[in-house]
Amino acid sequence: MVVKRIVDIAISAVVLLLLLPLFAVVAVAIKLDSPGPVFFRGWRVGRHGKPFRIYKYRSMVVGADRMGGPSTPADDPRITRMGRIVRKYNLDELAQFINVLKGDMSIVGPRPEVQHYVDMFTEEEKAILSVPPGITDWATVWIRDEGQILAGSPDPERAYMEKIRPEKLRLQLEYVRKRSLAVDLAIMLTTLRTHLIDRFAS
């Protein structure tokens, strides 16, 4: 656990430093595109059920959480013009390296959920809360683009519950059972390829 934390801090510090110019450009673009803050800081449930505020570059209109459910299809009208670009290239998630530095999250771990979904956990699924949540995990690699899967659905919440959540939970539990530094490295490299290299190349 200590080694994992050291790796998290080292990588996060390097990423934030190297990508500072990109972060500045994204921040300015978000401010110019729509009124509101640069960051969305919604509540998520962390390790041992402790709530924390997650950092994301804002990709939706202010007050979006009061206009619809937590599931967000790619064609959701709450998404701003800049938000579509931010989501397409997963730029909104990069801000979570701040959460990693603060100790709220790890680079690799089950994606943190809102309380609504955590309240649905079975006793077995509560094991997901035994480890720090992460920016990426096997479920993140599998899903690749949740918004596109939900796009066009008359009921995005139901589609999420039926098409995504069951497999997502299975993969998160598999990570908890088999986690190691080698597994973390494999997930990081796979995420880099599927969510960054392949996406920017397409």
Side-chain angles (χ1 to χ4, degrees):
M1 195 69 182
V2 174
V3 175
K4 181 179 173 71
R5 180 63 185 146
I6 292 172
V7 171
D8 280 343
I9 293 173
I11 293 179
S12 297
V14 170
V15 169
L16 289 171
L17 184 62
L18 291 179
L19 296 185
L20 190 59
L22 172 63
F23 290 165
V25 170
V26 172
V28 171
I30 289 172
K31 289 296 290 184
L32 292 176
D33 180 54
S34 64
V38 169
F39 292 113
F40 165 76
R41 298 197 59 205
W43 286 103
R44 295 292 185 272
V45 179
R47 191 182 186 195
H48 303 316
K50 181 180 178 181
F52 70 96
R53 284 192 176 274
I54 195 170
Y55 281 88
K56 283 190 175 187
Y57 280 110
R58 184 174 59 83
S59 62
M60 304 176 78
V61 297
V62 174
D65 55 334
R66 298 188 297 273
M67 302 175 190
S71 299
T72 310
D75 54 357
D76 195 311
R78 296 175 296 174
I79 302 175
T80 64
R81 289 174 300 177
M82 184 60 194
R84 298 192 186 284
I85 298 173
V86 165
R87 283 174 172 264
K88 179 179 179 181
Y89 296 107
N90 295 122
L91 298 176
D92 53 332
E93 310 292 352
L94 292 178
Q96 286 155 46
F97 281 103
I98 299 173
N99 286 114
V100 176
L101 279 182
K102 290 178 62 181
D104 299 322
M105 296 174 63
S106 178
I107 294 175
V108 180
R111 288 292 300 158
E113 289 283 21
V114 295
Q115 189 68 53
H116 170 69
Y117 290 133
V118 172
D119 288 341
M120 298 180 190
F121 279 0
T122 64
E123 286 303 312
E124 179 188 18
E125 291 162 356
K126 288 178 182 178
I128 293 170
L129 301 177
S130 67
V131 300
I135 296 176
T136 184
D137 63 351
W138 287 129
T140 305
V141 173
W142 165 68
I143 295 170
R144 296 195 64 175
D145 197 333
E146 182 177 308
Q148 287 298 331
I149 295 174
L150 300 177
S153 172
D155 188 345
E157 181 69 7
R158 181 176 180 179
Y160 173 79
M161 294 295 292
E162 294 177 352
K163 297 180 179 180
I164 296 175
R165 190 170 183 268
E167 179 65 5
K168 181 178 180 180
L169 290 173
R170 187 191 71 79
L171 290 169
Q172 289 180 340
L173 283 170
E174 181 179 338
Y175 171 78
V176 172
R177 296 188 189 109
K178 300 179 179 179
R179 66 189 185 279
S180 69
L181 288 177
V183 168
D184 282 7
L185 178 60
I187 291 174
M188 282 190 273
L189 292 176
T190 306
T191 301
L192 183 64
R193 177 175 59 82
T194 59
H195 283 265
L196 291 177
I197 297 174
D198 289 354
R199 188 159 297 192
F200 276 92
S202 62

